[in-house]
């Protein structure tokens, strides 16, 4: 895996332009209505920081405030939805948390849209979800513009926010059977030995490394069996024996550990 000189992340968002008409906090707090009407006014603001600051105050208004925050969780994406979700999750009992799971934020540091991956995993279309995972990881790293392979630098600098989102989706929709965190746990149990990992998760049977079409894209697959195709060259069949496969997994699972998966 080639390492290139450090460059700005290809998907990094551009800095927002400076405000021209004074501090947004001053503008947004002018003429604010009292009580819950004022809270709703601030929640309708164009400023994310103003809206986020109003969330905890809304919760103090009981059921009415809860429903307003839940509306944001259900209908929006982005930082305000993330903050609303976290607030409700931290303040709710298990029954409410079960309802919240389906609206779990698809966070991204670089503006990636994981809704297709979520939908495929919800439908248990494991193979399509595996290939979508590969597509999204290449996009996030900017590797889709190159040779469709992740470099060492790509993996070492892969955004933790995005790695957590991809992993969370796999874990949630497989009841913990699949996902990078499941693979990482087994990798540690196997003494960080790639061959033993492959035996344990079903990528190898005896001395035979399985080709992609021989994998089990079903819930009954061994724990840690998926996702896998992020490391696959498009033209490869038995890609596990490629020289970079073990090294690539080592790099990714090290990144997973540093990202606290």
């Amino acid at each position: 895996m080639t390492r290139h000189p450090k460059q700005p992340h290809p998907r990094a968002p551009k800095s927002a332009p400076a405000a021209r008409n004074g501090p947004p906090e001053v503008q947004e707090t002018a003429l604010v209505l009292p009580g819950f009407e004022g809270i709703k006014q601030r929640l309708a603001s164009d400023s994310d920081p103003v809206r986020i600051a109003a969330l905890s105050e809304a919760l103090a208004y009981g059921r009415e405030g809860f429903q307003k925050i839940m509306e944001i969780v259900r209908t929006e994406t982005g930082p305000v939805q993330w903050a609303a979700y976290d607030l409700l999750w931290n303040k709710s009992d298990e029954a409410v948390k079960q309802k919240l799971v389906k609206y779990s934020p698809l966070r991204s540091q670089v503006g990636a849209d994981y809704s297709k991956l979520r939908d495929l995993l919800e439908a248990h279309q494991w193979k399509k979800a595996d290939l979508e995972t590969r597509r999204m990881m290449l996009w996030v790293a900017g590797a889709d513009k190159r040779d469709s392979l992740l470099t060492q630098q790509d993996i070492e600098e892969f955004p933790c926010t995005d790695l957590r989102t991809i992993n969370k989706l796999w874990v949630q929709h497989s009841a913990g059977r699949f996902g990078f965190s499941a693979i990482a746990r087994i990798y540690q149990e196997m003494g960080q030995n790639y061959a033993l990992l492959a035996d344990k998760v079903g990528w190898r049977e005896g001395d035979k490394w399985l080709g992609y079409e021989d994998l089990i894209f079903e819930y009954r697959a061994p724990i840690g069996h998926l996702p896998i195709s992020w490391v696959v060259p498009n033209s490869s069949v038995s890609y596990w024996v490629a020289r970079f496969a073990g090294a690539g997994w080592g790099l990714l699972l090290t990144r997973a550990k540093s990202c606290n998966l």
Side-chain angles (χ1 to χ4, degrees), residues 16-254:
R20 296 183 181 179
N21 298 316
E25 293 80 7
V26 174
Q27 297 174 29
E28 295 293 344
T29 54
L31 303 177
V32 172
L33 298 172
F36 190 61
E37 289 302 312
I39 298 296
K40 290 195 291 185
Q41 181 184 14
R42 290 162 60 197
L43 288 174
S45 166
D46 291 332
S47 167
D48 283 356
V50 169
R51 299 184 70 206
I52 290 171
L55 290 171
S56 58
E57 296 179 46
L59 200 59
Y61 284 83
R63 181 175 180 79
E64 191 175 19
F66 176 88
Q67 290 177 337
K68 191 65 179 176
I69 299 171
M70 193 64 188
E71 179 184 343
I72 293 172
V73 170
R74 288 196 307 265
T75 63
E76 298 187 21
T77 59
V80 179
Q81 190 242 10
W82 304 347
Y85 180 92
D86 290 344
L87 177 64
L88 290 185
W89 184 270
N90 292 330
K91 298 290 185 179
S92 299
D93 58 24
E94 288 302 317
V96 175
K97 287 181 178 180
Q98 288 300 316
K99 296 179 181 178
L100 282 172
V101 167
K102 69 180 294 186
Y103 303 111
S104 183
L106 304 180
R107 306 175 202 256
S108 173
Q109 193 172 317
V110 295
D113 180 3
Y114 293 106
S115 58
K116 182 177 180 180
L117 176 60
R118 176 201 60 205
D119 294 346
L120 290 170
L121 287 169
E122 282 182 352
H124 288 185
Q125 295 187 39
W126 304 114
K127 186 173 184 178
K128 289 182 179 180
D130 187 54
L131 295 173
E132 176 66 6
T133 297
R134 169 178 166 76
R135 186 184 75 82
M136 291 305 303
M137 290 184 70
L138 293 173
W139 187 91
V140 167
D144 59 325
K145 298 179 179 179
R146 294 190 260 104
D147 54 4
S148 294
L149 288 174
L150 296 179
T151 66
Q152 178 180 346
Q153 183 172 338
D154 290 336
I155 299 171
E156 290 178 342
E157 298 178 0
F158 198 89
C160 284
T161 299
D162 292 77
L163 196 61
R164 291 191 197 105
T165 293
I166 293 168
N167 180 67
K168 178 186 70 176
L169 287 170
W170 277 94
V171 170
Q172 283 184 345
H173 295 293
S174 68
R177 296 184 63 81
F178 304 143
F180 295 131
S181 55
I183 298 169
R185 183 177 63 254
I186 297 169
Y187 186 61
Q188 293 301 318
E189 292 171 357
M190 298 296 105
Q192 301 185 22
N193 184 303
Y194 174 65
L196 293 180
L197 168 69
D199 291 338
K200 185 70 173 179
V201 302
W203 300 338
R204 186 173 76 165
E205 296 179 355
D207 294 330
K208 179 186 177 183
W209 292 83
L210 301 184
Y212 190 71
E213 296 303 323
D214 297 320
L215 296 179
I216 305 171
F217 294 101
E218 298 177 22
Y219 184 79
R220 65 178 176 84
I223 294 173
H225 198 64
L226 300 169
I228 181 62
S229 69
W230 70 272
V231 76
V232 188
N234 288 332
S235 61
S236 178
V237 178
S238 298
Y239 57 87
W240 331 93
V241 294
R243 287 179 297 172
F244 60 82
W249 270 111
L251 288 168
L252 184 72
L253 296 177
T254 296

